[in-house]
Amino acid sequence: MSLAFLFPGQGSQCLGMGSNLFERFPSHISEANETIGYPIEELCENGPEEKLAKTQYTQPALYVVSYLSALAQIEDGVEPLMCAGHSVGEFAALAIGEAFGFVDGLKMVEKRGEIMSRVSGGGMAAVIGLEADGISSALSSHGLTKVDLVNFNSPGQIVISGPQNEVNSSLEPIKQAGAKLVVPLKVSGAFHSWMMTKPSEEFASFLNAFEFQLPKFPTYANVDSHPYSDPQLMASQLVRQMRSPVLWTQTISHMKEAGCEEFIECGPGKVLSKLLRQIP
């Protein structure tokens, strides 16, 4: 049976995550703590929750827990034939596929989180039950031109992102256009929107110091929903990912078309597992 690992993104973090993994992988935890300068296991297990929810801490914590979750599966005899990660989860997917080392991936994610945390004034909301055209029409008819459609999570769920005031102003028009529900997300920025353009440029300069390899199994990119095929383009795709939509519905569809019959979510929560039920 063809099996894939999926790695969750920001929002899946929770206190206590990884508690069953830290003692199992002491060398990885030691490397992680030395890299980031604080005890990652203490943050994950005890918080405080407000700190864990901050982007600059959330992203490294998710990366470590998700990577170790997948590593535990592999050590227990479960081998994926393909992988994908949602947003920051893509870094754990690439690391488990040995496109780069565990520590290098952590350095990338730490920098990514730190850069993104500096962009204030943004917000996001999940739109349930309204297709992209309906959302776009509602936004344009009310002059909300700075709100982007950024996460295509399932046929019934699309996330919008942009300046907080415009996101707030878009909630009622989108409901009136036919959305079943519009839920503001508890995030600190307008991730994957145009507001991440300058941060992505800084991230591009940072990634110049790293080397990339083709993953040992197909690993699907958020920006185009296809497997990475050229190590020389990997850095630019990860940079684009910061300011581009996450094509999650298409990614899962392409993985199924490639023969995937079973998915295992590696990391905290069941967000991606729940989305799977909504994707044909």
Side-chain angles (χ1 to χ4, degrees), residues 209-242:
F210 297 91
E211 293 185 1
F212 298 85
Q213 306 294 328
L214 197 64
K216 63 181 182 180
F217 33 67
T219 302
Y220 287 70
N222 287 178
V223 294
D224 62 11
S225 73
H226 292 288
Y228 282 92
S229 59
D230 186 348
Q232 302 302 316
L233 299 177
M234 195 170 292
S236 63
Q237 286 178 283
L238 290 172
V239 169
R240 282 174 53 206
Q241 190 228 52
M242 284 183 68

Side-chain angles (χ1 to χ4, degrees), residues 20 28 94 133-134 143-144 169 190 198 230 239 249 260 263 276 278:
N20 61 326
H28 286 81
L94 288 167
D133 288 347
L144 301 168
S169 297
K198 286 187 177 179
D230 186 348
V239 169
T249 301
C260 185
F263 297 87
L276 281 172
Q278 304 171 27

